[in-house]
Amino acid sequence: MSKNDSKILDFFSKYKNQPFEFVIVTDINIQEHPNYYKAIFRNIETNLFHSTPMTPEMMRYKYKVGHVYTNGKHVGQNKTLLKGEFFVNINTSIQLMELSDIIYNESNFLSDNDLKESFMRQYAHVEEQDDCTLVIPCYTIANRFYFISSSMKHAIMSSTLGELYYEGSFRNKTEDDQTVVKLHIKRKAGKKDLPFLCRFIGSSFARNRLEYVGNQKSLSNDEYQPIKAQFPSRNAFNIYASYIYIGNDRRGKPKYLVLNIHSDNAPFGFDKVYYKQYSENVDPQDLDPEEYIPPKKSKKRFKRKKPKRDNKVYTGTPSSDYAKHKLYTHTEEYYNNKVAVFGETLYKEGEAEPLNKHIPGKIGNSFEKPAADGDKKLGETEQTNDDKEANKEKNIFNLENFYQFYEALLTFAYVEGSELVGPNDISLIKNNKKKGNKSKSKKDGDDSKNRRFLFGELSYDQKAVYIVEIEQDDSWGPSTWIFYTDESIEPYTAHNMKSIIEHYIEKDFNYKELTKYVSDNYKLSFERKDHKNGDLDDDSIERWCESVLKKLI
């Protein structure tokens, strides 16, 4: 966790064990890095609003508007939050509007007058569509298309995009009916930022929209002010978003306020990116990046289920479900951006190695693979208020933390998938070989606690891939199960995975025996991947994703 993100942790530390709904963000510090938003949280128990600084990049993977957090960890979401797919950017000449001109008194989801006034002066992209009016706040657009990472945000807000790449190294050409981009990047650039960076370099339209965001700091001396941002594409495209109903428009059609854009298929203008990353003292403009063979594009596309739009006005009124139940939200789906990114990092002998150095094929396996009966040394510390429990040493990976790993996996090029299913319960299964032992189908050996698992389905390199994450305890080591087969084979479901897990427990298989069993009975190949169990930092999660995908090629 970076020092810039400590403010939000300090906020939750101040209100330990209290549930907060992330309601909205208002102004952004336009003048100074790290450009904090004013994030508005509501205490579910007291219904009081609190404002705390939050960096924009924290909203990409950690905190989502409309969701509930206790001690900084996700525990639920507002019951009126909807998710769906929309076709947007049909007219690129739409002028931004203040929310006060769009949202009237019929919406009362911000009861605090001062906060409501601050929110209403924010700007939004507004589209009147056939069946609804979409209101997309500029912070939502900025977070998805501009503030991709801390380094990208800094380059944009300081008007120094050149700090991420070597100017003059950008090349764009057509190869085998595909548009291929080649680029030399500096050590500050994030590899996941590359398609977005190349969009801003190669498209004058996108570059103008980027400069529009960055130039706002010169138009006012105010430290905090509303952010203004527009889509960086000339073309219409789909977004997958969470939103709320805020009343009807002048036609009697529902108005939807888009809180988070989870995915999009806005075109980048190219198909592949080849890059080389160099340390600061090297200027390699005359060297061509090496070319790599990309994975084959999947033929299968997952269908999204559209939620029922019950047109219940969002008020943010706390529900008793917040305090009584832990709600498990499905991971947001991500569109395949159809851009393959390939490259490596180089540095001269004798120089200090870059921070983002080339990852050898075996990196990410630094965590020792657990034995079939688990490894007590792997996992993160679980905190509790129970005195007896507090005295027990626990190093267990939290199942809900896996959502971040899976969400990150779906952002990689050529990966297309559905949202996680679960948690699903595993039935009580006795081990035939060790009948006197407690069943591994029960968490902590407690017959009242069914062990659970998460199930995700995706396609990659023309393979159908099934991801299974099983709940951990002292007897079950932390690793993700990965099954894959040709994508033409009839797809498997969470029910099939449940049967495989239960058979594994019943027969007391080792992993070699499990591999043979699923190959013979399901025509599935089997792999597993350990994951980091402490802080869920971006670098560790990204390396985990890269390692998973390498297993599938």
Side-chain angles (χ1 to χ4, degrees):
M1 186 69 66
S2 72
K3 184 173 69 173
N4 295 334
D5 299 328
S6 63
K7 291 184 181 295
I8 186 65
L9 298 182
D10 292 342
F11 169 78
F12 282 112
S13 296
K14 184 179 178 181
Y15 300 98
K16 288 185 178 180
N17 303 322
Q18 298 182 44
F20 284 87
E21 180 185 2
F22 186 9
V23 179
I24 207 71
V25 296
T26 56
D27 292 350
I28 188 172
N29 187 331
I30 206 79
Q31 301 294 343
E32 295 182 359
H33 183 77
N35 307 107
Y36 288 114
Y37 281 124
K38 290 181 180 179
I40 310 302
F41 286 84
R42 179 186 15 249
N43 189 312
I44 299 299
E45 296 175 348
T46 66
N47 203 29
L48 295 177
F49 291 89
H50 301 263
S51 176
T52 187
M54 178 188 290
T55 57
E57 53 269 26
M58 289 290 283
M59 296 180 65
R60 286 187 60 82
Y61 69 95
K62 182 69 173 177
Y63 298 105
K64 299 291 185 182
V65 175
H67 290 241
V68 182
Y69 303 87
T70 298
N71 300 325
K73 295 183 178 181
H74 182 273
V75 297
Q77 70 178 64
N78 192 296
K79 296 171 69 174
T80 56
L81 188 67
L82 301 172
K83 293 180 182 178
E85 188 175 77
F86 300 96
F87 192 58
V88 300
N89 205 38
I90 300 170
N91 181 1
T92 58
S93 62
I94 290 178
Q95 298 296 310
L96 299 177
M97 299 176 63
E98 281 196 21
L99 289 176
S100 59
D101 296 328
I102 312 158
I103 303 177
Y104 310 115
N105 291 329
E106 78 272 15
S107 178
N108 61 345
F109 72 94
L110 270 179
S111 57
D112 185 286
N113 290 331
D114 291 338
L115 292 177
K116 188 169 186 176
E117 181 180 352
S118 179
F119 173 67
M120 288 299 186
R121 70 189 188 100
Q122 304 303 308
Y123 288 88
H125 171 96
V126 182
E127 290 194 22
E128 190 175 281
Q129 303 193 349
D130 291 341
D131 58 349
C132 68
T133 292
L134 281 183
V135 181
I136 309 176
C138 287
Y139 84 80
T140 307
I141 296 173
N143 289 349
R144 178 66 194 174
F145 296 96
Y146 297 95
F147 301 152
I148 311 302
S149 64
S150 179
S151 57
M152 178 71 82
K153 178 192 64 181
H154 183 271
I156 293 173
M157 300 307 290
S158 60
S159 300
T160 55
L161 204 61
E163 69 183 36
L164 300 180
Y165 76 103
Y166 290 93
E167 296 187 27
S169 69
F170 182 85
R171 302 174 189 178
N172 190 334
K173 64 179 181 180
T174 301
E175 297 179 359
D176 298 326
D177 296 325
Q178 289 189 319
T179 302
V180 178
V181 165
K182 297 181 179 181
L183 183 68
H184 300 290
I185 61 175
K186 298 180 180 178
R187 61 188 294 177
K188 290 183 179 180
K191 297 174 185 178
K192 291 289 292 296
D193 301 343
L194 278 170
F196 302 91
L197 177 60
C198 291
R199 171 194 276 160
F200 294 133
I201 299 171
S203 167
S204 59
F205 182 87
R207 186 62 173 261
N208 289 337
R209 289 285 171 95
L210 177 142
E211 292 173 350
Y212 175 73
V213 176
N215 289 340
Q216 291 172 50
K217 63 188 302 181
S218 64
L219 302 178
S220 172
N221 293 324
D222 293 340
E223 185 179 39
Y224 277 88
Q225 55 185 286
I227 187 71
K228 293 182 180 179
Q230 296 175 305
F231 292 122
S233 174
R234 289 185 184 274
N235 306 98
F237 55 90
N238 294 96
I239 62 172
Y240 186 70
S242 52
Y243 59 96
I244 54 176
Y245 170 73
I246 53 172
N248 291 337
D249 62 18
R250 58 181 178 80
R251 305 169 298 165
K253 303 290 185 179
K255 282 189 296 189
Y256 296 129
L257 179 66
V258 176
L259 302 179
N260 310 288
I261 296 177
H262 305 294
S263 59
D264 70 90
N265 63 353
F268 287 106
F270 45 85
D271 303 287
K272 300 178 185 177
V273 176
Y274 293 96
Y275 74 95
K276 280 191 176 181
Q277 187 174 42
Y278 295 79
S279 62
E280 293 174 344
N281 297 328
V282 182
D283 192 355
Q285 295 187 21
D286 297 326
L287 300 178
D288 283 330
E290 297 178 10
E291 295 188 1
Y292 296 81
I293 300 175
K296 297 180 289 292
K297 291 184 178 181
S298 297
K299 299 177 182 179
K300 178 181 178 181
R301 174 164 184 180
F302 291 91
K303 296 181 179 180
R304 288 176 170 80
K305 295 181 179 179
K306 291 192 175 182
K308 296 180 180 179
R309 301 178 185 176
D310 56 9
N311 289 352
K312 180 179 180 181
V313 177
Y314 178 95
T315 63
T317 302
S319 163
S320 59
D321 289 335
Y322 285 143
K324 292 182 179 179
H325 305 288
K326 174 172 279 191
L327 307 177
Y328 301 101
T329 58
H330 294 313
T331 254
E332 288 79 26
E333 294 181 290
Y334 288 79
Y335 284 93
N336 179 0
N337 62 24
K338 303 301 182 186
V339 176
V341 180
F342 311 96
E344 61 180 320
T345 297
L346 304 179
Y347 56 95
K348 284 185 176 180
E349 184 176 357
E351 291 183 335
E353 296 185 17
L355 295 178
N356 318 40
K357 58 185 179 181
H358 176 61
I359 306 300
K362 293 186 178 181
I363 203 75
N365 292 320
S366 57
F367 296 94
E368 184 179 347
K369 292 185 177 181
D373 59 350
D375 188 338
K376 297 181 180 181
K377 296 180 180 179
L378 298 178
E380 70 175 20
T381 299
E382 180 179 286
Q383 296 182 343
T384 175
N385 291 324
D386 187 298
D387 291 335
K388 294 181 180 179
E389 288 294 319
N391 292 328
K392 293 174 61 179
E393 185 177 350
K394 291 254 182 180
N395 295 302
I396 305 300
F397 181 83
N398 189 333
L399 185 66
E400 284 69 46
N401 286 340
F402 185 70
Y403 282 96
Q404 293 188 52
F405 287 84
Y406 188 80
E407 288 174 359
L409 190 62
L410 294 182
T411 66
F412 276 71
Y414 295 112
V415 175
E416 188 169 356
S418 62
E419 60 188 3
L420 280 174
V421 176
N424 310 278
D425 285 347
I426 299 172
S427 301
L428 175 60
I429 300 295
K430 291 294 184 181
N431 187 322
N432 285 345
K433 295 183 180 179
K434 302 176 182 178
K435 295 183 179 180
N437 290 5
K438 293 180 179 179
S439 173
K440 291 176 66 175
S441 62
K442 295 299 179 181
K443 188 173 183 291
D444 300 320
D446 187 339
D447 286 345
S448 65
K449 297 180 182 178
N450 286 68
R451 192 182 300 280
R452 303 172 301 162
F453 72 96
L454 297 171
F455 169 71
E457 179 187 7
L458 55 88
S459 62
Y460 183 75
D461 196 41
Q462 295 187 358
K463 296 181 180 71
V465 184
Y466 307 99
I467 303 292
V468 176
E469 179 70 16
I470 303 172
E471 190 170 27
Q472 314 300 323
D473 62 10
D474 289 340
S475 67
W476 200 293
S479 65
T480 303
W481 288 8
I482 307 160
F483 302 95
Y484 60 94
T485 187
D486 187 274
E487 64 180 355
S488 63
I489 293 177
E490 186 70 20
Y492 293 107
T493 65
H495 179 75
N496 299 122
M497 296 301 113
K498 180 175 180 287
S499 297
I500 291 173
I501 297 170
E502 292 173 354
H503 191 76
Y504 166 82
I505 295 173
E506 180 182 11
K507 299 299 183 182
D508 193 33
F509 279 159
N510 58 35
Y511 288 126
K512 184 176 180 180
E513 291 169 329
L514 177 61
T515 300
K516 184 177 187 306
Y517 172 74
V518 296
S519 176
D520 293 344
N521 293 274
Y522 294 88
K523 297 182 179 179
L524 288 169
S525 298
F526 172 71
E527 294 281 352
R528 60 192 180 97
K529 181 71 186 78
D530 300 333
H531 45 68
K532 186 175 176 66
N533 309 284
D535 293 335
L536 303 176
D537 60 279
D538 289 349
D539 289 341
S540 297
I541 292 176
E542 187 164 329
R543 288 197 299 270
W544 180 88
C545 293
E546 290 172 347
S547 182
V548 168
L549 296 180
K550 286 179 182 178
K551 292 178 179 291
L552 302 175
I553 297 290

